[in-house]
Every structure is written in C-alpha cells, then in structure tokens.
Amino acid sequence: MARLLLIEDDLTIRTPLIRALRERGHAVAAASTAMAGLRDALEDRPDLVVLDLGLPDLDGRELLRMLRAVSMVPVIVATARDDEAEIVRVLDAGADDYVVKPFTAAQLDARARAVLRRGPAGADAPDPALVVGGLRVDPRARQVTLDGVAVELTPREFDLLHHLAGRPGQVITKRELLTEVWQIPYGGADKTVDVHLSWLRRKLGENAQQPRYLHTVRGVGVRLEAPAAQP
C-alpha cells in the first residue's frame, strides 16, 4: 500500500479519484490548495504526490519547484495542458511523470506504481556509484561529479545520465529512454530527449559538435563513454 497525497482543487475530480485510489489499496490524503499541499507533503511525508497545476493560490509548477527545494518525494503532475513545451517545462522542474486530463484512476494507479518501482524506497542494497572516466554518478545520494567537481542536475537529467552510465559504450535508443526514464511506453516526442540531452551536455561542459562523454549516433540514439575509450 502506498501513501499518496493528492493536491487538487476541483472537488468533482478529487472526491471520485480519492475513492477509486483507495479501492486500489492506496492510503490517500488530499489538499485543495498549493500551500496546504506543501505543508502536508512536508509533515506527512507521503510516498508520492499527485499535483494539479491549476491551483487557486499558486501555479502548480511553482509549487513543484518549492517542493523540490526541500524534498525528493516522487511527483506525478496532473494537467490539462497537453502541449509539448509545457510538458518539458514540468519535467525539467522536477516532475517524475505526468498525466493529461481527463485520465482514469486505473491510468494514474499504473503510473504511480511505475514511478514507485523506480524509487529507492524499500531497496535493501542501493546500486553502487557508476563511474565512467572522470564521471561519477551516485544513485544513493543522487549526486554527480565530473573530475571531482559537483555537477548540479535536475531530477530528470540525473535519471537520464544514470540510465546511460549504467550501460557505458552502448547505443541507447530514444525510444528506450522515453520508456525507461520518462515511463512513456507507447512512444513520445524525440524532442523531449533531445532537449534534455542538450541541457545535460551543457552541464558536462561539452556540445553535440565537440562531444566528450555523450555521443549522438544519427538515426539511432546516444552513447555515453569515457573520453579515453574513444578511438
């Protein structure tokens, strides 16, 4: 049983969703405003937060940034905004996944279970740090260093780099990245991956024209390898 916090101001959505999620075995608490949701998230420490963007006192994206400053609780954003640019902004702000309204309780339940499976909660032996050349990715602390210097990444950038570092030297397709990192199993916009790779390259001090670690394989995907391993 997972403990969910639903931050949703629309009573016609909140009430039946709480009931349906409880029927699926979850313990569900709810808040109708951003500030009440922030308080509940910090005091009650739920396993996962479901966050509506259109809240009466504060935009949900701003609440997400506030929450990410103090907590790494998984967050699924529930939004009626289905344009790609908005979705990319939400993911970059720290969301672990999103659902577009209208959605069913079954869909939300499936996404919640998928997000929770990725998390460290309940793991008896966390994965050790991954080292590729001068790059060190520590999943326990969710920290990255490059040649001993800390690299500040968003949660999604970290997940992307961690996935690539787990298979150094292999070409990973964009479809796989969308499935494994974004949890979008039925395809999605390659541009989402491209944008995050571009941001990640910038933070690693490289670019697509002069790559050191991240190498694009045109028409296939991307490969992470240590500079010394390059032919």
Side-chain angles (χ1 to χ4, degrees):
M1 179 180 69
R3 295 176 298 112
L4 309 183
L5 172 61
L6 175 63
I7 306 177
E8 167 64 66
D9 68 314
D10 190 332
L11 188 63
T12 63
I13 295 175
R14 188 172 70 242
T15 300
L17 193 54
I18 291 173
R19 182 173 61 249
L21 290 172
R22 285 175 176 169
E23 289 173 353
R24 285 168 167 78
H26 301 296
V28 185
S32 59
T33 66
M35 298 314 296
L38 180 62
R39 180 199 63 217
D40 292 349
L42 298 181
E43 292 180 357
D44 300 337
R45 302 188 66 174
D47 297 315
L48 183 141
V49 172
V50 180
L51 173 62
D52 176 32
L53 291 185
L55 297 169
D57 56 336
L58 195 67
D59 185 81
R61 194 143 48 90
E62 184 60 30
L63 173 58
L64 177 59
R65 292 193 184 94
M66 294 168 64
L67 187 58
R68 275 291 166 261
V70 294
S71 172
M72 290 304 298
V73 61
V75 176
I76 296 178
V77 165
T79 175
R81 309 169 193 175
D82 60 356
D83 64 289
E84 181 179 305
E86 178 66 14
I87 290 170
V88 168
R89 284 193 292 268
V90 165
L91 293 172
D92 187 50
D96 294 272
D97 201 354
Y98 66 91
V99 287
V100 177
K101 295 179 180 179
F103 56 85
T104 65
Q107 180 185 2
L108 179 59
D109 177 45
R111 288 181 176 270
R113 287 185 281 109
V115 168
L116 290 171
R117 282 197 300 269
R118 303 204 305 265
D124 294 327
D127 292 334
L130 303 174
V131 179
V132 182
L135 192 63
R136 186 177 187 274
V137 183
D138 185 347
R140 291 165 294 188
R142 291 186 67 85
Q143 293 178 345
V144 173
T145 59
L146 178 60
D147 299 328
V149 179
V151 180
E152 296 295 328
L153 301 180
T154 66
R156 187 67 67 180
E157 289 167 351
F158 179 90
D159 291 341
L160 174 58
L161 183 61
H162 181 251
H163 187 82
L164 293 170
R167 293 163 60 186
Q170 298 183 37
V171 179
I172 311 298
T173 67
K174 293 179 183 178
R175 174 63 62 85
E176 177 179 332
L177 292 173
L178 285 167
T179 300
E180 298 298 327
V181 178
W182 275 266
Q183 296 292 311
I184 305 175
Y186 304 114
D190 287 353
K191 188 175 181 181
T192 298
V193 178
D194 292 337
V195 168
H196 280 77
L197 284 171
S198 175
W199 291 334
L200 192 53
R201 282 191 175 100
R202 189 178 308 137
K203 292 184 178 181
L204 295 180
E206 60 183 73
N207 56 59
Q209 289 70 41
Q210 296 179 307
R212 295 183 64 235
Y213 284 90
L214 295 169
H215 298 261
T216 297
V217 180
R218 190 178 299 276
V220 183
V222 63
R223 179 182 72 251
L224 184 145
E225 63 182 13
Q230 297 166 24

